[in-house]
Amino acid sequence: MEYLWLAGAIAAEVVATTAMKYSEGFSRPLPSLVTALGYVVAFALLARTLRTVSIGTAYAIWSGAGTATIAVIGLTLFGEGLSTAKVAGILLIVSGVVVLNLGGAH
C-alpha cells in the first residue's frame, strides 16, 4: 500500500509542476491554484509514505520519477528539445531508482 501512496505523491507533484508552467509565473489564477494544491497533496502523500518506507528510498523514487516524468512532459507538451545528455540523464535517473529497489532498500 505504501507504494500506492508514493505513486499518488509522484502524480500530484507532476500535476503541480506542469500547472506551474501554465501559471506563467503565478500570473494565472487557476493554474496557480492547481500548483499550490498539487504540492500540498504531494507532500501529504509523501509524508504518509514515510511512515513505512525509508526516507532515502522514498525521496529518491519520488524525486527521480517526478523528474523523469516532467522531462518527458517537457518534450511532449512544451516542445523542449531532446539531446543525448537529456536522454542519458533520464536513463540514469530511472536506473538509480531501479538499483535502489533491487538493492533491497526499504
Side-chain angles (χ1 to χ4, degrees):
M1 185 68 185
E2 60 268 5
Y3 287 98
L4 287 177
W5 295 118
L6 185 56
I10 294 164
E13 187 265 336
V14 166
V15 167
T17 302
T18 304
M20 189 185 306
K21 174 73 172 171
Y22 284 114
S23 78
E24 296 178 9
F26 296 111
S27 65
R28 297 180 61 213
L30 185 57
S32 298
L33 179 62
V34 171
T35 298
L37 291 175
Y39 280 119
V40 167
V41 170
F43 285 119
L45 292 174
L46 182 60
R48 175 65 180 90
T49 301
L50 294 177
R51 290 182 182 177
T52 55
V53 178
S54 70
I55 191 168
T57 300
Y59 190 75
I61 294 170
W62 181 71
S63 62
T67 299
T69 303
I70 287 298
V72 171
I73 287 172
L75 292 168
T76 57
L77 292 182
F78 303 113
E80 295 178 359
L82 182 63
S83 65
T84 303
K86 189 176 276 190
V87 170
I90 292 169
L91 291 174
L92 286 169
I93 290 167
V94 171
S95 298
V97 170
V98 169
V99 169
L100 273 173
N101 283 298
L102 290 177
H106 300 341

